[in-house]
Amino acid sequence: MIGMALSLALMVAVVVSKTNLKFVSLDYLQRACKITPHTYSALTSWRHYQLMQQFNNASLDDVQKSMNSIMSDNRAVSMEAFETRMSDQRIYEYTKKQFLLQIPIISQNNSSYLNNSLSVYDSSQLFQKIIQSAILNPSSYNLSSTSHDFMFLWYNRFSISDVFLDYCLTFQNDFVLAQNNMIITVIILSVCVIMYHVVYVLFIYVPLVKNYFSEQSRILDLFKLIPKDVVGGIYQKLHRMEKRDNKMKNASSFTPKIKVVLMTIGILLCDLAVIGLLTAEDYNLVKCGANTSQTIGLYGNFSSTMNRITFNLNEIVFNDASISNDLKSIITASHVTSLIGQTRDLWTQMRFGGVGVKGVMDVSGDIDAVITKSSCVNVTDSIKCMSLNTMIDELFVTAQQVANEASTMGLQQKITALDRSYQLTTLINQITNNVTQQYISKSTQNCDFNFETGWIYGTCMILMVCLGIALLTQLHTYLNINHMIRTLFILIPPQTCKSIPPLQDYIDNMETKGGNLLKAIFGKKDNGDKKTRAILEGSTDGVIICNDQGRIVEVNTSSKSMFKVNESDIIGEHINILFQENLKVFIKDTITTRKGMTMVATGIRPEKGEFPCNISTSVGLWDNRTHVACFVTDCTIEQKQKGLIEIERKNNEALLNSILPSTVASRLKTGRVDCIADKFDDATCFFSDMVGFTKMSSNMSASDLVFMLNKIVVAFDDLCVINNLEKIKTIGDAYFCVGGLFDEQEGGQSHPQRVVNFGLQALHAVKELTNGDINIRIGVHTGPLVAGVIGKNKFAYDCWGDTVNTASRMESTGLPGRVQTSRQTYERIHDLFKFEERQVEAKGKGFLTAYVVVVDETNDIKYDVVEEVTRQEEENDVTVLDLQKQRQNMDSLDLVSIRRMSVGLNVFENQKLRKMSLNQGSPSPSHFKQAATTPNEDLFQQDFSEFNDHMDDVDVN
């Protein structure tokens, strides 16, 4: 693994070097060096425009085009400068290294300057602003000493040019340094890979192979210790194998040792060849990149000095009087001559190369043609037809002539010479830039793998893989031969082995293939059984091991404790004696599929009956026979817990159904409904209210008042169940219910009829329960409504809509002891009841037509409350003791449970009072408590007092 990791790191280094060379660094280096002559290029374009302006031959488009090109190149370099193309030290020098620049001060008579130190980045930004200002203000091209932009370029022509050249050379040195570091990295990786292979072969591979070969010699030496008579017996049994061995010996002239040695040497040679190819390729790649970067640096230096020549010629000829002679003193003919010599040397070195530098010639035929051959025929512009060499020579001749003869040449000759030198310089800049870009592209292509190198690399890799597979096959074959020889020990009698100590020790310490078989034959005791037994005994689950017939052969302590049996009682018996189910098919399926299975079963204890359990099985070999291990888990406690959970679930469902309609409760239990709301297009609302309740309640005690209300409400609740209505809520002494919400009965009474019947029965019940002391008003209306569950705490099911409001208005405008319906309800049941029509003024509704049900013998629906209560008591078999037992646990229940139990107690208590009131005469409200305290109802009185104690915690509304 270590060798593979080092080899992979070596290949990654090659890829990184190639990617860095081809796609990142060299392209940016070329752009960084391209801007080195831009200061002189800008001044030359400026001066050339002024010179041509004197002869009315100036072209503003040319100078603007030149300035825009300068601006674009500088901006691109600045934007890319902070990307990861330089070292941290170079980035620091780019942003922090200071250069002295001169900031011009323009006055009416003359100009001066102030010195200021700026970094490379700041200098580049300031230079871009100057060029941008000139582009935006073309009239400034006519100015010189009075133009701040021109004088800035003039004063800093050396400084800014040196800044850009320093940046170019800095980046070039940084790139060369990175390439040299990559070479060192590649060499180190190569050495590490080689050293790893050497260490692995000498200290791991060679001892391992040597041990394989020496194993056979040790086995043969042991056979020499066996008595001859035993060997003779073995020989007689294996005489056929001897012939086969002879054939094997004559099959090949190479022994296994020689084959393994030759294959190992072949793999090492292929590996070293691959490492050598990778190392050579990466070394060639980084050296190629370093040489190319040196050539790019020469390109930047050459462009800078060439543009200085053209600038100096313009200044010699133009002789701007507004610029002091001190500033122009360095611009002389001898200075131009010196620049021509420097430029010629740089061009020669750039073309043909030198020490550590690769020239642009002989890299590509296209580049050579541009440099040495004419590019066009029959073109009037002779300059564009010249080769690059000819252009440069022509520029040098023209520059030398103007520098030496400027004082004797005519003005027209000077203008012509300067214009020609300007055009030559512009073309040379363009062509050398293109040549450099082609040179970078061709150089990186020439640094790629060639076909011969790739073919050798691929062949070595394939050969190394094939030799590795063959080596592993040969070693495996040799190990099998050793195993076959070791199996001959099986034919030796155990007494003979024990009489030869070296042979016995070899068998006892054997750890190779076939060792377990020999140990079993010669009686070597294995501690595996003890370990397995200890693990099984420590298990909390019961473990029963059966043979392939289902007979029990082993059990652990947990099994004996679980089934309450002794080991002697079940060993040898079928496993079915421990379970109710027949496990024969289950055991058979486990053995057939050879996979673990599970099932739920019922265990049997001899004295304590049955218990639920889970059985999981696994299958394996033991003493060369298939055995099944059954893991048994007692589920008694789990089943009890599930039963308790189920009881609590049913109780909670009953409580929820007593609060909400069953349909709504089922939807609420799913937990997937954020809002429960239903719209009913046809429903009938019922409202009732007690007449004179406020005045009457002021003369009653709290317990008497609540007791009376509870009696009436419980009777109404019973009537709702009988008439298949949904109770919504009670509001003070008012009662609100609705018919037709969920379970409309097909073929039975319609919900308007059932609601009116409910109203008539409610009137009868109130009259019987209160002996006529209390009367109620009832209002009924039919129409659409919306119903739903609202709230988070103490939520309730409620109804809304105009139908609800109209039913309430029917009640408030109704007559005591009568049922008043709206027109909509009347139209639905006008043929079932007798009605009296009347006009009522309803709040918010105006005058409405209402219909009062006429109670006579034909539609007077009787309802015997006492009879109904007695029937429900017999069906439910409710006792006071049961309710008291529930009340003892009331403190541990939630609010909903308390409310449900309180209502249940009230039902029972009211049933008792109904019997008393109807048997002894109908008492007035003041008689309720007295009736409750009769000697025969002491237990009931105790419950009633407890009920009053809990009233503060229970919202009966």
Side-chain angles (χ1 to χ4, degrees), residues 822-836:
S822 63
R823 176 71 181 183
Q824 287 79 355
T825 305
Y826 168 77
E827 291 175 350
R828 302 281 290 274
I829 58 175
H830 65 89
D831 57 339
L832 302 177
F833 300 92
K834 292 182 180 181
F835 294 91
E836 293 178 356

Side-chain angles (χ1 to χ4, degrees), residues 64 132 169 215 257 331 367 517 572 636 775 830 916 940:
Q64 287 286 72
Q132 183 70 22
L169 298 180
E215 178 71 12
K257 292 183 179 180
I331 303 176
I367 296 177
L517 179 61
T636 303
N775 209 348
H830 65 89
M916 292 168 56
F940 169 76

Side-chain angles (χ1 to χ4, degrees), residues 5-76:
L6 292 173
S7 301
L8 181 61
L10 184 61
M11 296 181 66
V12 170
V14 175
V15 175
V16 169
S17 299
K18 189 171 185 60
T19 303
N20 186 58
L21 172 66
K22 190 169 185 179
F23 299 106
V24 181
S25 299
L26 291 179
D27 290 338
Y28 181 73
L29 176 61
Q30 190 268 338
R31 289 192 294 273
C33 293
K34 182 181 177 180
I35 67 173
T36 55
H38 278 177
T39 308
Y40 290 104
S41 297
L43 284 171
T44 300
S45 299
W46 203 313
R47 278 301 196 197
H48 183 263
Y49 177 80
Q50 294 176 357
L51 186 63
M52 294 296 104
Q53 187 73 14
Q54 296 179 4
F55 295 92
N56 297 322
N57 195 24
S59 174
L60 182 61
D61 292 339
D62 291 343
V63 67
Q64 287 286 72
K65 182 178 179 181
S66 176
M67 291 295 188
N68 281 318
S69 177
I70 292 171
M71 183 67 184
S72 176
D73 292 341
N74 277 270
R75 183 172 295 169

